[in-house]
Amino acid sequence: LSPRARIQLAFLAASSPSGGPQKMIEYLQPLESMDFSKTPSVGAVVLERLGTAYYLAGDCAKAVNTYERALVYSPDADVILNNFAYLCGDCLKDPDRGLSAARRAVAIAPTRVEYLDTLGSLLIAKGEFTEALGVLDRAADIGTSAAVEYHRAQALSGLNRKPEARAACTKAMGLNPDPALIAKIEKLSAESK
């Protein structure tokens, strides 16, 4: 199969109940070690989708490594920069490693709420609560989400602004958070009393 056919099959597998991350990996892994220097855009797509599959399959180290390699082929792809930064914070618990990528993603697409949220969460992990709150307030002004409000609550709590942190937690709960985020919001709300 050609790389483009494998990309298409991986895309279909991602949305198929019988497919999922393992099937995506099966389609894309044979391409992982190819030299895409003559077709860097294809290499970036292959590695970005493979990185996503590794993440969904629970292999964070491979996901981060694969995203890092995707950036070699497309160093200014805002989606790849953001996802790499997110994985550095979420999987590796290494905000320093992802911070420059998060800043670049925001510089390229300054109105993408999810990019601002990623940057804000990395700044919180570093204890940079004032800067994080500024970034997250910008995100909330554009279009908030449960994740943005949760991260705003974290920054406010870090600044010892407990009543505002509780209010942000309440707002986050009203924005349809997933079950894992609900647990985090409830915990932070209790800690902010």
Side-chain angles (χ1 to χ4, degrees):
L1 294 172
S2 73
R4 292 185 195 281
R6 287 182 177 277
I7 290 169
Q8 185 61 30
L9 287 171
F11 176 77
L12 293 171
S15 59
S16 163
S18 63
Q22 292 303 331
K23 201 69 172 169
M24 290 173 69
I25 292 168
E26 181 183 316
Y27 289 129
L28 296 173
Q29 204 168 36
L31 305 176
E32 188 171 14
S33 60
M34 282 183 66
D35 176 11
F36 290 103
S37 57
K38 292 183 180 174
T39 55
S41 61
V42 174
V45 170
V46 165
L47 294 170
E48 184 270 332
R49 295 213 178 144
L50 185 57
T52 299
Y54 284 140
Y55 172 69
L56 294 173
D59 193 336
C60 284
K62 273 189 177 178
V64 170
N65 182 353
T66 305
Y67 266 97
E68 204 162 35
R69 290 178 31 239
L71 285 169
V72 169
Y73 292 113
S74 191
D76 292 322
D78 54 315
V79 169
I80 297 172
L81 287 162
N82 180 69
N83 290 349
F84 170 75
Y86 174 83
L87 292 175
C88 287
D90 187 59
C91 291
L92 299 183
K93 309 300 183 219
D94 186 355
D96 288 323
R97 186 170 175 187
L99 197 56
S100 66
R103 289 187 191 283
R104 282 180 40 213
V106 167
I108 293 166
T111 60
R112 294 287 300 263
V113 172
E114 64 274 25
Y115 297 0
L116 291 163
D117 185 50
T118 297
L119 177 57
S121 69
L122 293 176
L123 290 166
I124 289 166
K126 288 182 53 70
E128 302 289 336
F129 301 116
T130 301
E131 185 181 357
L133 184 58
V135 168
L136 294 163
D137 283 347
R138 278 182 33 217
D141 287 345
I142 295 167
T144 198
S145 67
V148 168
E149 290 302 324
Y150 168 69
H151 290 129
R152 284 187 70 252
Q154 282 185 304
L156 289 161
S157 181
L159 293 168
N160 204 28
R161 293 165 58 181
K162 304 294 184 186
E164 292 170 90
R166 282 193 308 277
C169 284
T170 300
K171 188 170 183 180
M173 289 298 272
L175 293 170
N176 197 26
D178 63 42
L181 187 54
I182 288 172
K184 291 177 182 179
I185 294 166
E186 289 173 343
K187 182 177 184 229
L188 181 58
S189 184
E191 292 169 356
S192 297
K193 291 186 178 181

